[in-house]
Amino acid sequence: VGKSCLIGRATNGKFMSGRYVPTIAVDFSNPCGLELGKQMVHLQLWEVSGAKRFRTITLVYFAQKAAYLVLFDVTNCASWENVSNWMDTIDERGDDDALRVVVATKCDRNCIRQVTRDEVDSYIATRCSKYGRVAYVETSSKEDLNVDTLLRVV
């Protein structure tokens, strides 16, 4: 869905083009600095594999996080369908007070978009009424669209 590309863009400002290497279980980035007003904030981004074979390993990494980002590819309905499962896992295993952010990736590819903004907005409204603290950001790692916005939301 573009998790590694988004983290690469956020941490070093570059788009990772070329050969795709899937994440095995868990990966994390070096902390990236973000200036908010007069304060410097350091974020460390953890990426958990979406592969079912790593599920028991990745569940360990859900505790004690300030925010959870759930990414989906707007050009792939199957990735959108998994958002609800990941959000349920966060609700079961994650911190209740942590922010949840649904992140659309590959938004530069609107000509082949399969998941509409209205679908996402409806889901977010339902989820917010049930759990609160859910945000939504549309991004493109390739075009560097809203990557800084996403970091500021977190």
Side-chain angles (χ1 to χ4, degrees):
V1 299
K3 297 182 299 283
S4 297
C5 286
L6 185 65
I7 289 173
R9 176 64 84 175
T11 57
N12 65 33
K14 296 180 182 173
F15 177 67
M16 297 170 43
S17 61
R19 195 171 155 186
Y20 169 72
V21 179
T23 301
I24 297 174
V26 177
D27 194 9
F28 66 94
S29 68
N30 291 321
C32 61
L34 179 66
E35 194 173 323
L36 293 175
K38 294 182 179 183
Q39 278 189 322
M40 182 60 90
V41 177
H42 296 278
L43 300 174
Q44 185 168 41
L45 304 172
W46 290 73
E47 176 185 353
V48 296
S49 172
K52 289 182 181 180
R53 67 178 178 252
F54 299 119
R55 189 83 167 162
T56 55
I57 296 169
T58 59
L59 290 176
V60 173
Y61 293 90
F62 277 72
Q64 300 178 350
K65 303 298 181 263
Y68 299 92
L69 308 178
V70 178
L71 280 64
F72 74 96
D73 174 355
V74 297
T75 69
N76 182 328
C77 284
S79 74
W80 167 244
E81 291 165 3
N82 283 324
V83 167
S84 187
N85 295 332
W86 283 108
M87 294 291 277
D88 290 343
T89 300
I90 292 166
D91 292 338
E92 293 168 12
R93 301 261 184 171
D95 292 338
D96 291 340
D97 295 334
L99 174 66
R100 282 103 164 118
V101 184
V102 176
V103 181
T105 63
K106 304 181 186 178
C107 291
D108 58 295
R109 304 181 76 193
N110 269 329
C111 60
I112 57 171
R113 186 175 183 136
Q114 294 180 0
V115 181
T116 68
R117 175 76 190 237
D118 288 342
E119 285 177 272
V120 179
D121 287 343
S122 175
Y123 174 79
I124 297 296
T126 302
R127 200 77 192 195
C128 280
S129 68
K130 193 172 180 183
Y131 298 102
R133 293 199 74 199
V134 179
Y136 175 59
V137 180
E138 292 199 341
T139 66
S140 167
S141 300
K142 183 177 182 181
E143 300 297 326
D144 198 14
L145 174 70
N146 291 333
V147 176
D148 282 344
T149 300
L150 173 61
L151 296 176
R152 291 182 190 290
V153 166
V154 173

